[in-house]
Amino acid sequence: MNSIVTQRFIQCHHQLKQENRVRSSRQFAQSLDYLPQSLSEILKGRRDVTIELLRKAVEVYQVNPIFLYTGEGEMFLKPGEDKELRILTIVTDQQNDERILHIPCSAQPEYAQEIGNPVFIQSLPSYSLPALNNNAPQRSFDINGDHMVPTFFEGDKVVCTFIEPSQWEQGIKNQHVYVVVSKEALVVNRVHNDLKNNKHLTLYSDNTFYEAFNIHLSDIQEVWQVHTHISPFLPARHHHQSPVQEDVKALRQMIGEQHQMIQNLHNTIEKLVNP
């Protein structure tokens, strides 16, 4: 059974034929630099649409990516509606499946500057995680520094899903963790979404040593929602201990000490009363 995104893609294909914007499925495939035989497999429900084919459909026929991924809105964009959409450079394997691009610490400053450069993007390392097959573009980022301790530690990796700019106002959820790429830097933080009222996001760390800060809408280039955490080490036992557990432990110790003091006082009184 093909995915819901593939089903919506097929609906768009049928609509294009119905409106005579394409003469045949073969012409449609060729206009997207795609093999007609492979498109036929998609239309018959035998395989899923690829990220690259979706990207080409958006670029050539103004297929609405919001409709493809959520089912909301019109099938096709109206003139001018595509100004906020980003066409992401992706890397695929021999089966034409998207690989996850990884942005290591050393490349993160350059990533913010070269975000639209396909040559730089394609030079980044990439890998596949079969259990994380997803029709939305995915990238992973190294955690740099201690600003998200104890949730993430330096050396950890987070795998993320791309959030379209048109979805930022409604799609960015409070308290969730995102990778936010500004014009100057790349940060991993929890987010409070105030785009609707004040045109900014408030970013704050799990490590309370760091203060929260705002980033204005005009400075945001990309937003990626963190959905998977990869760690190169097993945290020590105390990393799993919540503040509540630590408070209970301290309370038990204090009660034990007070109990011992009461017992000592009782013994002293006993000796004074019964010499």
Side-chain angles (χ1 to χ4, degrees):
M1 182 67 179
N2 52 10
S3 73
I4 186 64
V5 174
T6 298
Q7 293 173 31
R8 293 180 186 131
F9 173 80
I10 293 172
Q11 291 177 32
C12 293
H13 163 269
H14 293 342
Q15 187 65 28
L16 286 169
K17 290 183 67 176
Q18 184 176 335
E19 295 176 359
N20 294 319
R21 293 173 61 184
V22 295
R23 296 189 305 274
S24 65
S25 298
R26 182 178 183 83
Q27 183 213 350
F28 178 68
Q30 291 175 337
S31 68
L32 301 179
D33 296 325
Y34 199 69
L35 290 175
Q37 299 93 325
S38 297
L39 178 64
S40 178
E41 292 293 297
I42 292 173
L43 297 178
K44 292 176 181 177
R46 296 175 181 170
R47 66 188 300 178
D48 275 325
V49 65
T50 65
I51 293 292
E52 179 62 17
L53 186 58
L54 292 175
R55 187 189 71 81
K56 291 287 290 185
V58 171
E59 179 181 336
V60 176
Y61 292 104
Q62 288 73 55
V63 173
N64 185 356
I66 307 305
F67 169 77
L68 289 172
Y69 291 120
T70 70
E72 299 177 359
E74 301 294 331
M75 282 189 186
F76 302 97
L77 296 168
K78 297 176 182 178
E81 281 188 333
D82 59 343
K83 291 181 179 179
E84 289 187 340
L85 295 175
R86 285 286 314 282
I87 302 299
L88 294 174
T89 300
I90 64 171
V91 174
T92 57
D93 58 22
Q94 294 181 345
Q95 286 72 44
N96 212 26
D97 292 325
E98 183 191 2
R99 292 171 63 83
I100 299 172
L101 281 168
H102 179 64
I103 296 84
C105 289
S106 59
Q108 289 178 8
E110 190 175 1
Y111 181 84
Q113 303 297 323
E114 300 289 339
I115 204 166
N117 182 349
V119 175
F120 168 74
I121 297 299
Q122 291 177 342
S123 72
L124 295 169
S126 64
Y127 62 96
S128 296
L129 290 174
L132 295 180
N133 286 337
N134 193 315
N135 282 305
Q138 297 183 84
R139 289 183 184 169
S140 65
F141 302 82
D142 278 344
I143 296 295
N144 187 13
D146 63 351
H147 59 289
M148 286 301 289
V149 171
T151 306
F152 304 131
F153 294 86
E154 187 164 24
D156 289 355
K157 295 174 175 57
V158 289
V159 185
C160 314
T161 300
F162 183 65
I163 307 295
E164 289 282 358
S166 60
Q167 293 294 295
W168 288 351
E169 187 174 302
Q170 299 297 326
I172 298 176
K173 305 301 182 183
N174 293 337
Q175 307 297 324
H176 289 216
V177 181
Y178 294 87
V179 175
V180 180
V181 185
S182 71
K183 295 178 180 178
E184 303 296 331
L186 179 160
V187 294
V188 183
N189 283 98
R190 293 197 187 275
V191 170
H192 178 79
N193 187 347
D194 201 16
L195 291 175
K196 184 175 182 179
N197 296 322
N198 294 308
K199 302 299 182 184
H200 70 242
L201 298 175
T202 299
L203 309 181
Y204 58 98
S205 304
D206 284 359
N207 186 342
T208 56
F209 176 80
Y210 297 94
E211 295 184 356
F213 62 97
N214 296 333
I215 178 170
H216 194 269
L217 175 62
S218 61
D219 291 326
I220 302 172
Q221 297 195 87
E222 288 182 349
V223 179
W224 298 80
Q225 183 172 14
V226 175
H227 64 74
T228 300
H229 168 215
I230 302 174
S231 178
F233 64 92
L234 183 65
R237 189 182 181 110
H238 68 273
H239 288 154
H240 295 290
Q241 200 167 52
S242 70
V244 173
Q245 290 174 314
E246 293 176 354
D247 290 344
V248 170
K249 183 179 178 181
L251 182 59
R252 285 176 176 171
Q253 183 177 352
M254 182 178 67
I255 292 173
E257 292 173 351
Q258 290 179 344
H259 175 75
Q260 187 61 46
M261 289 174 61
I262 293 171
Q263 186 63 45
N264 292 340
L265 181 60
H266 175 75
N267 292 340
T268 301
I269 295 172
E270 283 286 335
K271 289 178 181 180
L272 292 173
V273 173
N274 301 305

